[in-house]
Amino acid sequence: MAPAPVSLAQRKRQLVATELTEAALQLLALKGFDAVTVDEIATAAGVSKRTFFRYFASKEDVVVQFLADMGADMRADLAARPAGERPSEALLHAVSVPLTICDAHAERALPVVRLILRTPALLARFLEHQARWREDLTEELADRLDRDPRADLSPRLAAGAALAAFDAVLHRWSEGEEPGSSADPGALITEAFALLAPALDSVARRETP
């Protein structure tokens, strides 16, 4: 059955949310988390402060939603991978989704990544989201392999290893002085998975207890 068409009101709401998110992330990355006010974000997005609070409870929530969207993209991509694909390939594609987007928009994305990694409150929320992503990827991988994640540690360990690689790449990418001077995140994640692949693919070959 075809999905229900998106209404004009829904499209307008999504557009405003996107503009608020973009304005907030760029201001926060430019000036620092503590230096930016909600009023500044609303003004940059061309809306009122009251409108901002219809979409987000705080400026921190803007970043949290950004992280939630990253996790949703990874889970959706893993679910869409071919059934017979090796776990290392499927997981590589899944965690590469946000990295590819970041690399394609490095001038905007790199300051945001640095903001998250270097602001203690945001880093804590990032780690919370990574824990949720691990659960999501564990469930998807367990379904692909027909394993029970409550009885078999393999899907959880594989998901954790994939996200550890993702986290390591983000940190390495953020260390460059300017966009374009850091190592390519796509190349870095491919390098990381070349090391992880034998262990990840052994999950598929392992007999269920």
Side-chain angles (χ1 to χ4, degrees):
M1 184 172 61
V6 178
S7 69
L8 178 61
Q10 288 173 314
R11 289 199 299 271
K12 182 179 179 181
R13 182 174 178 81
Q14 182 58 52
L15 178 61
V16 174
T18 299
E19 290 177 348
L20 278 169
T21 299
E22 183 71 14
L25 291 177
Q26 295 311 308
L27 277 174
L28 293 170
L30 178 65
K31 300 178 64 175
F33 184 76
D34 293 330
V36 176
T37 67
V38 170
D39 284 315
E40 288 178 288
I41 295 171
T43 298
V47 301
S48 67
K49 184 177 179 179
R50 182 176 179 181
T51 297
F52 175 92
F53 284 117
R54 289 186 190 141
Y55 290 83
F56 302 104
S58 67
K59 59 184 180 181
E60 182 179 283
D61 280 352
V62 179
V63 183
V64 170
Q65 185 58 51
F66 171 74
L67 295 174
D69 291 343
M70 289 174 65
D73 288 344
M74 283 192 281
R75 179 168 189 166
D77 192 80
L78 180 59
R81 300 306 302 171
E85 193 170 49
R86 290 182 291 121
S88 63
E89 292 184 11
L91 285 167
L92 172 59
H93 280 286
V95 301
S96 292
V97 170
L99 291 175
T100 300
I101 295 172
C102 285
D103 190 33
H105 303 90
E107 290 190 359
R108 290 181 294 168
L110 186 53
V112 173
V113 169
R114 287 172 174 160
L115 171 75
I116 293 171
L117 296 181
R118 298 175 184 180
T119 305
L122 297 179
L123 178 58
R125 299 301 294 270
F126 180 49
L127 295 176
E128 287 177 12
H129 275 277
Q130 281 200 46
R132 296 175 194 170
W133 300 348
R134 185 176 62 248
E135 295 304 312
D136 289 344
L137 295 183
T138 294
E139 291 176 8
E140 290 293 342
L141 190 58
D143 286 343
R144 291 172 62 86
L145 299 173
D146 193 25
R147 302 285 176 84
D148 181 356
R150 296 168 298 180
D152 188 340
L153 286 175
S154 300
R156 188 177 304 279
L157 289 172
L163 288 174
F166 172 81
D167 185 70
V169 166
L170 278 186
H171 278 81
R172 174 64 184 84
W173 188 52
S174 73
E175 292 170 359
E177 292 300 320
E178 298 294 340
S181 65
S182 303
D184 173 12
L188 287 172
I189 197 66
T190 299
E191 179 184 344
F193 267 75
L195 298 174
L196 293 175
L200 293 175
D201 292 337
S202 70
V203 172
R205 296 190 297 269
R206 182 173 175 272
E207 294 294 329
T208 304

